[in-house]
Amino acid sequence: MKLTMLNSMAGPDLPVALDRHVAMGLRLVDLKDGLWGQKVEDLNDEQSTQAAVLIRERHLDVHCLSTALGWADANLGEKDWRAGQEQLLQRVLQVAAILRPRYVRVLAVRIGTTELPVRWSYAETVAAHPWLPAAYADLVWRINAAGFASCIENECKHCALATSEDVAAFFAALRPLVREGVCDYVWDVQNMWQMGAFPTLAGYQTLRPFLRLLHLKGGRADARGVLTEASGLRTASWPVLPILEEIRRTGTVSVICLNPSHGKRHADYDVWRVVQDDIAYLRESIPGLESPGACSAG
């Protein structure tokens, strides 16, 4: 397995963030935001080219563009949903043509804009919006035709993929339309926890046939098991190591990407300090994870 992190976790200044990637012995970059104050899908051609040069000068590779493709309310209806995604897709593909990532991230569909009193399952979502599998298949094929793979991620609010069973149902509908390898699943463990599904080995086994990428954040729970505080992986309330050990044993995941933890941040919480400890913790705990570089992190 290889290791990366969202670029902005290493700081809002891209050259500094990339230097920190190198210093930490990372070779892959996941671009999301903090790019001259922009999200990756909002970069113009000049900014995209500048980013590509900075990355290439440091002998790094772009693993993923973490875009907001797909993150629109299904209640818009098929016509408006597709129109909005088409406009965003065209810009994303222009950025991708310059930055040349392995993956373009697509988010699972949103249901509504306010918290629902009862969570909808994916089955209920697609029953109400039967056009969704074909719409996602079209996005995936367009990305593939441009030379990139897709990865679909679960979000932490209003998301139709709130449980491992939802993910299995979604890919059961998508796989007949899109062959394996064109689109993989990235499990954001904490996002699913925030949607109400506490991370378990049983949940992982349900996700395993579709899972290739992993987004990791810590998080501390209250007595009810609800995420309340941001934390690193070392002090997280969910079973980080048992799940990672099983993932390593089964060889499911190719890349782990660190993400910033949700939850209340105490006054002494520092994202970069937490990231450095997360990387150290993972390297201590997972045999075979890529080795750190010789330099110390600045």
Side-chain angles (χ1 to χ4, degrees):
M1 286 188 290
K2 295 185 177 181
L3 183 63
T4 186
M5 60 182 164
L6 296 182
N7 66 283
S8 56
M9 296 181 72
D13 182 275
L14 183 60
V16 171
L18 295 176
D19 286 342
R20 284 178 164 180
H21 276 70
V22 174
M24 294 302 295
L26 305 179
R27 292 294 173 260
L28 300 179
V29 180
D30 191 311
L31 298 173
K32 181 183 179 184
D33 52 19
L35 301 160
W36 300 287
Q38 304 269 36
K39 296 178 180 178
V40 66
E41 60 261 40
D42 295 328
L43 295 179
N44 59 36
D45 287 358
E46 181 181 355
Q47 291 168 325
S48 300
T49 300
Q50 186 178 355
V53 169
L54 291 170
I55 291 165
R56 186 169 59 249
E57 286 175 345
R58 290 158 177 79
H59 306 289
L60 300 169
D61 293 315
V62 180
H63 179 253
C64 185
L65 302 187
S66 284
T67 77
L69 274 169
W71 191 237
D73 186 1
N75 293 324
L76 290 169
E78 180 176 8
K79 181 179 178 181
D80 289 345
W81 194 93
R82 282 181 177 267
Q85 296 312 298
E86 175 63 26
Q87 183 177 5
L88 180 55
L89 178 63
Q90 290 182 17
R91 183 61 232 158
V92 166
L93 292 181
Q94 285 181 266
V95 175
I98 296 170
L99 287 167
R100 307 305 303 174
R102 168 73 177 92
Y103 284 101
V104 171
R105 184 191 72 170
V106 180
L107 291 172
V109 71
R110 187 169 81 230
I111 304 299
T113 55
T114 58
E115 292 295 333
L116 299 173
V118 178
R119 185 191 64 78
W120 275 30
S121 69
Y122 172 74
E124 290 171 310
T125 302
V126 81
H129 306 286
W131 49 270
L132 277 169
Y136 269 84
D138 288 347
L139 277 179
V140 167
W141 279 123
R142 292 279 300 283
I143 293 167
N144 182 252
F148 313 104
S150 303
C151 56
I152 294 179
E153 179 188 350
N154 55 290
E155 259 292 4
C156 63
K157 291 184 178 181
H158 324 300
C159 184
L161 302 189
T163 67
S164 55
E165 291 78 15
D166 289 331
V167 173
F170 174 80
F171 275 91
L174 188 66
R175 280 279 168 86
L177 305 175
V178 177
R179 70 177 182 270
E180 186 173 356
V182 172
C183 181
D184 293 324
Y185 174 57
V186 50
W187 181 24
D188 190 305
V189 181
Q190 194 187 86
N191 281 358
M192 192 170 282
W193 176 15
Q194 285 186 272
M195 288 292 296
F198 190 79
T200 64
L201 283 169
Y204 161 68
Q205 294 296 351
T206 301
L207 299 171
R208 179 179 165 187
F210 322 104
L211 182 61
R212 298 294 176 270
L213 309 168
L214 194 66
H215 281 191
L216 286 189
K217 6 185 156 163
R220 298 288 303 167
D222 62 15
R224 301 167 297 159
V226 176
L227 174 70
T228 55
E229 296 182 4
S231 83
L233 295 172
R234 197 183 296 271
T235 57
S237 295
W238 61 275
V240 177
L241 288 187
I243 290 175
L244 288 179
E245 287 167 0
E246 181 64 9
I247 286 172
R248 182 186 64 83
R249 187 189 70 80
T250 53
T252 307
V253 168
S254 59
V255 174
I256 294 172
C257 181
L258 295 173
N259 281 216
S261 177
H262 301 162
K264 179 181 178 180
R265 295 183 179 182
H266 296 286
D268 62 347
Y269 186 92
D270 178 80
V271 172
W272 179 234
R273 178 181 55 79
V274 172
V275 170
Q276 292 177 85
D277 187 65
D278 282 351
I279 291 172
Y281 180 63
L282 291 173
R283 285 175 168 152
E284 293 164 9
S285 305
I286 306 175
L289 194 66
E290 61 182 347
S291 299
C295 302
S296 61

